[in-house]
Amino acid sequence: MLDRWFGGMKEYPPLAADSEAQHHLEEISPQLEGLVGEVRDPLEVVPADHEAFVFIGKPPKRFGIAWIHDGKVSSFQNLVEERHLTPEKSEQLIEELRDAYERAAEARRYSAKVGKRKITVTPSPVLEQAVHEIIDHTRSP
């Protein structure tokens, strides 16, 4: 009860051990464990084939994002630097990610343990596709 009042993590049913989402998490396990060890904020993982998008913090209001791909973890800051995004373009990107997250508000969410920490898993192809497209289409001005 106190967690709800003070912004704690919501309780979701456990992710099934034989689910496709669990299989995707196992594929990226080393990178996900590293991220869990580095970040103290809540994590919500959107798994996909050989990659995952990770919302960090409390989306849709205050959040960051990372993605696990090609055996590495990339941050939002990495994207900004690699693509030489202006502050305006960076803010637009955050707004697009926020909108995609809000459109997926009804997606089923589950809990899973990574190491000793509980994370939220959102196996939503719609959200995964939207985030993937937003990131892929981000270009410098």
Side-chain angles (χ1 to χ4, degrees):
M1 181 78 119
L2 290 177
D3 280 348
R4 273 194 213 143
W5 291 344
F6 296 109
M9 197 169 134
K10 289 183 181 178
E11 289 295 321
Y12 296 110
L15 184 65
D18 61 347
S19 68
E20 184 177 8
Q22 180 63 40
H23 172 71
H24 290 319
L25 292 180
E26 289 167 4
E27 288 181 338
I28 57 159
S29 178
Q31 296 83 14
L32 187 55
E33 287 177 14
L35 188 60
V36 164
E38 291 175 18
V39 177
R40 297 288 167 232
D41 291 321
L43 300 176
E44 182 171 345
V45 180
V46 182
D49 284 330
H50 313 295
E51 68 180 352
F53 299 100
V54 184
F55 286 88
I56 302 167
K58 297 183 180 184
K61 294 182 181 177
R62 292 187 57 221
F63 70 95
I65 192 161
W67 57 103
I68 299 170
H69 60 105
D70 301 325
K72 66 180 182 176
V73 178
S74 297
S75 69
F76 182 78
Q77 190 60 37
N78 295 136
L79 180 69
V80 168
E81 291 170 3
E82 287 172 8
R83 300 198 181 165
H84 308 289
L85 301 180
T86 64
E88 294 80 17
K89 187 66 176 174
S90 298
E91 187 60 35
Q92 178 186 353
L93 179 60
I94 289 291
E95 286 302 316
E96 290 174 16
L97 291 167
R98 178 176 287 118
D99 290 345
Y101 186 89
E102 288 175 338
R103 284 192 308 272
E106 298 303 315
R108 301 244 6 211
R109 286 168 168 77
Y110 301 90
S111 65
K113 283 197 100 169
V114 175
K116 294 183 179 185
R117 188 155 164 214
K118 191 184 285 190
I119 63 168
T120 300
V121 181
T122 306
S124 169
V126 172
L127 181 56
E128 181 269 326
Q129 182 68 29
V131 173
H132 202 259
E133 287 176 7
I134 290 166
I135 290 172
D136 277 354
H137 293 106
T138 301
R139 299 286 178 247
S140 56

